Every structure is written in C-alpha cells, then in structure tokens.
Amino acid sequence: MSEQADVLIIGAGPAGLSAALAAAGDGMRVVLLDDNPLPGGQIWRDGAGAKVPDQARRLRDAVDNHAGIQRHAATRVVARAGSHALLVEDPEHGWVISYRKLILCTGARELLLPFPGWTLPGVTGAGGLQALIKGGLPVAGERIVIAGSGPLLLASASTAKHNGARVLRIAEQASLRAVAGFAAQLPRWPHKLLQSFGLFDGGYRPATRIVAALGQDRLEGVRLQRDGKLEELACERLACGFGLIPNVQLGQALGCALGNSAIKVDAWQATDVAGIYAAGECTGFGGSELALVEGRIAGHAAAGNREAARRMWATRARWQRFADALHKYFALDPALKRLAQSDTLLCRCEDVPYAAVAAHSNWREAKLATRCGMGACQGKICGGAAQYLFDWQPTAPRPPFTPTRVDTLMQLEEAAQSCSPRTCS
C-alpha cells in the first residue's frame, strides 16, 4: 500500500495544522499525520478533562473539512523509504507515503532532571500532569506542588486548580529579578499580559527549587529550597518540569542540521536538506503563536507561494521576540546540574544511577556501557537530561524509529522494488 502527497506534514499541533491549511490553500495535495489520536499537539491536547480553545477547534475543523487535506491520526514514522518517501504505521497497518515536500512539525517534550525521589509514583512532569488531567485523571482534593521553570508551571497549576486540586506551591527556579524582568516585557504582547492575569497564583515563589521528593512506596511530600532555607510540604502529587526540548530526532535521521539543539531553518522555514521544511517547537520553543505563524510560512513556502510566506515575516519576528524573552529570563541556573546524588537514577527504564552515566565522556559510550537510554522510552527522558547535565548531543536515531510490526517493515522491500527514480535514493 502506498500514498502520494505534494506536501507531507509530520505533526498536527498548531504548526502542523496551520501549515496544512496554508499549503492546501495554495492548491497542494496535503497529507497530515500525527501520533496522537486527536489533533492539537500537546498544547491543545483533547480529552475527557480538556477544554480545547476555540481557535484550536476552528483550525481542526478547517483541516478536517478541507478537500485537499488527508489527516492520519495515531500514525508514526517508522523509517525512510527512499529520498522522498517515508514508511509510516497506524494501529492497523503500515504503508509508504511519497512526497514532493516535507514539513516537520514534531514539537517538543519536557526536560525532566533527576533528583532524589523523582521516580516515586505521584511524581510527573508539569506538562505531563496537564496531559493526564486533560485525559481524565481525577485530582479533586489532592495537594499538588509544581516545580521547575517557565510559564508552563502556571498553566499546569491552572489546569489542576480548575479540576479541583489544591496547588500548595509553584516553585520557579528563576530569580525574582528575572521573573520581574520578564513581566515588565509582557505589555509588548497584550494577549500574553492578559493571559498572565488569569494564571497568577498566590503560591508562586521565584528563586525556589526542588531538592527532593519524599516518601517510601509513593510520594508523601517534597523538600524545596529558597534563599538557603529548606521547606517541606506534604502532598499527593509533584509536577516538575524545566522547560522544553525540541523533538529533533526525525530531522536528524533525515540529515537536517541542528542549531542550539533545534532543527536549523532559514527565513522560509527551510532546512539545509532540499525539500524539507520545519516549523514550531522542533525549531525552538516560543509558544503557540510563534508555531502558528511558522507553520503558515512553511506551508506557503513548500507550496511555492513565497509572496504569501514573506507577508508573515513581520508577525513571526514579533513572536520570536517573545520567545527570546522566555529564553533569556527563564534560563536554567547551573545549580540544577547538581540536583542528583550519585545513587539517584538517571535512566529510569534501565535503573542506571547518575554516577554510572557521569563516569563516561559521551552519550554513545554511556549507552554501550550502562544501557542508559536503551529502555522503553528510548532515551527520550534520560537523553534530554544527559544533554543538559553533561552537554552531550544524542546521535541520530536508527530505523526503525519506533517499535513496529514485521509486516510494516516488509513494506520497505516492496517500496524498493516499485519506487520511481523521483522517490528513491
């Protein structure tokens, strides 16, 4: 089985949805796929406990009602199937999609750093808690502490409170001066300023960081540090996230160059690989507004409509300044690299402690010697942590990129036998 597209888009978050509408509006035949069952990405995640913004619903409906867009849900990229084709798989079967242009909108994931007790049941990422609640996790009456860095902490706290939880503390590692500096910039983006009023929480504490999660069989409390003083709070849940990491693995596998640990793009959102574009948080974290405009630029550029893409440059520059402010004022304190103790697990899948990984000089060597990053998550958690802690750059993944069925892999042989010179390397 095979499918053809003028423009293939990987990821149905804000960037992917807007890219699809832009390219389809320019007359392209678009295929949009995402590994989640519903579109919207992490920021607009749908579910039993979710309240999806009107903008997200309008975009999703526009995509689903557009005759020029074919959307595949719960679909993952397995491998390359030629220079202009990918092998993909959904819960039922695998097939090859050939394309003229490819747009990567693979988003980002949370940076989770190891600290004593972080593997206890009841400890999640800040965004992870949001996703669980949107998916229907009951938190009514639970005491929750949220720690780490960035505006996501406030958004996670808001979601928890709206679902009946008691948020005891929001521990932001950035200093009071940094947080005040960021707040002073918000009038430049009135929508963000208005949004911040709704997210304000009396339990917010800057210059505060997690020290340890406390408990035996599950989380019972947390230990925080502020101004050299320790504070312990009893709670049922701890949500801890230290910002976002661009999902660059597919881009790496396709040969795209990286810059600042994100996929490197030019003014047209084009990568250094001919025919491949990237947009949204895989090119650097900046919020949904930046992702939307980057997606539109990439969609128009991939369709050859450079004039429409160029008209979006000023809007992109405006939201890029917001992204720059986020990176500047919420930069991580190097002290966070010392949260883990020697026996703190760094790789939870393979039970590898921090000291065992720190004894090596690069990610590949650590994997070979300790199996760090070779478990169920395939380094998505410990790889990001090691990248921050040791300044290691994970290598490009080898196919298959995800666990897959044998009959799906057999499609590669069929594709090799039947592909045309345009779609084969």
Side-chain angles (χ1 to χ4, degrees):
M1 177 179 175
S2 63
E3 185 175 12
Q4 293 185 341
D6 293 325
V7 178
L8 173 61
I9 301 172
I10 311 299
L17 292 173
S18 62
L21 289 170
D26 288 334
M28 297 293 101
R29 184 172 63 254
V30 175
V31 174
L32 172 64
L33 61 88
D34 192 273
D35 60 0
N36 288 309
L38 294 170
Q42 298 304 318
I43 193 168
W44 290 339
R45 176 182 283 271
D46 207 341
K51 184 179 179 181
V52 180
D54 291 339
Q55 180 186 27
R57 292 191 182 279
R58 288 194 299 269
L59 276 175
R60 183 172 67 185
D61 291 345
V63 165
D64 287 343
N65 292 326
H66 200 295
I69 302 174
Q70 174 65 53
R71 182 172 65 84
H72 297 294
T75 303
R76 300 177 294 182
V77 176
V78 174
R80 297 185 71 167
S83 62
H84 287 79
L86 295 177
L87 175 66
V88 304
E89 180 184 73
D90 67 11
E92 303 299 326
H93 66 293
W95 72 101
V96 172
I97 304 178
S98 60
Y99 57 85
R100 291 174 52 214
K101 300 293 175 62
L102 175 67
I103 305 178
L104 302 176
C105 302
T106 48
R109 62 186 185 278
E110 281 192 277
L111 172 60
L112 305 177
L113 298 179
F115 53 87
W118 78 302
T119 60
L120 284 170
V123 181
T124 66
L129 177 63
Q130 250 195 328
L132 288 169
I133 294 173
K134 290 178 179 180
L137 175 73
V139 294
E142 290 189 345
R143 298 168 296 177
I144 296 179
V145 172
I146 298 176
S149 191
L152 180 59
L153 305 186
L154 290 168
S156 182
S158 177
T159 300
K161 288 188 294 183
H162 287 160
N163 285 270
R166 295 172 53 202
V167 177
L168 305 180
R169 183 75 73 246
I170 303 174
E172 166 61 59
Q173 63 87 38
S175 68
L176 175 60
R177 181 177 181 179
V179 173
F182 178 72
Q185 301 294 314
L186 286 179
R188 300 168 64 187
W189 306 280
H191 169 68
K192 291 295 185 182
L193 177 63
L194 182 63
Q195 188 180 59
S196 69
F197 293 147
L199 294 177
F200 177 77
D201 189 284
Y204 187 85
R205 299 288 187 276
T208 305
R209 65 174 182 265
I210 187 72
V211 174
L214 309 175
Q216 294 298 321
D217 297 325
R218 66 162 290 112
L219 180 72
E220 298 173 10
V222 299
R223 183 177 297 134
L224 305 172
Q225 182 176 6
R226 185 185 188 199
D227 297 330
K229 298 179 181 179
L230 296 179
E231 175 186 30
E232 291 190 2
L233 297 171
C235 61
E236 283 75 47
R237 289 193 186 275
L238 167 63
C240 201
F242 296 91
L244 298 176
I245 308 171
N247 280 328
V248 301
Q249 287 77 15
L250 182 56
Q252 280 184 292
L254 298 176
C256 301
L258 303 184
N260 295 322
S261 300
I263 298 176
K264 189 176 181 180
V265 294
D266 65 12
W268 308 102
Q269 299 296 139
T271 72
D272 64 334
V273 177
I276 301 181
Y277 299 76
E281 292 177 344
C282 63
T283 66
F285 171 63
S288 61
E289 294 86 358
L290 180 59
L292 284 166
V293 69
E294 287 181 346
R296 290 180 66 184
I297 292 171
H300 286 308
N305 187 354
R306 289 203 161 195
E307 182 56 36
R310 191 189 300 272
R311 289 196 294 268
M312 298 291 103
W313 284 5
T315 304
R316 178 180 59 190
R318 177 170 178 261
W319 288 110
Q320 185 59 60
R321 288 191 289 272
F322 176 76
D324 293 342
L326 281 176
H327 291 288
K328 175 182 177 180
Y329 291 106
F330 291 99
L332 296 184
D333 187 333
L336 296 174
K337 296 188 177 187
R338 300 189 294 273
L339 287 178
Q341 298 177 359
S342 61
D343 60 347
T344 301
L345 291 183
L346 176 58
C347 176
R348 302 191 294 185
C349 298
E350 295 293 324
D351 292 336
V352 182
Y354 173 88
V357 179
H360 300 281
S361 59
N362 58 65
W363 177 242
R364 183 176 184 274
E365 183 182 304
K367 285 181 68 176
L368 291 173
T370 70
R371 289 192 54 83
C372 179
M374 299 178 71
C377 86
Q378 288 292 286
K380 291 183 175 64
I381 295 176
C382 60
Q387 184 175 351
Y388 173 74
L389 294 172
F390 310 119
D391 297 319
W392 294 345
Q393 178 60 56
T395 55
R398 297 179 180 178
F401 306 137
T402 62
T404 188
R405 296 184 294 267
V406 172
D407 59 339
T408 294
L409 293 176
M410 292 175 64
Q411 299 281 333
L412 286 175
E413 183 177 358
E414 295 179 16
Q417 295 174 350
S418 62
C419 65
S420 66
R422 183 180 69 85
T423 60
C424 293
S425 54

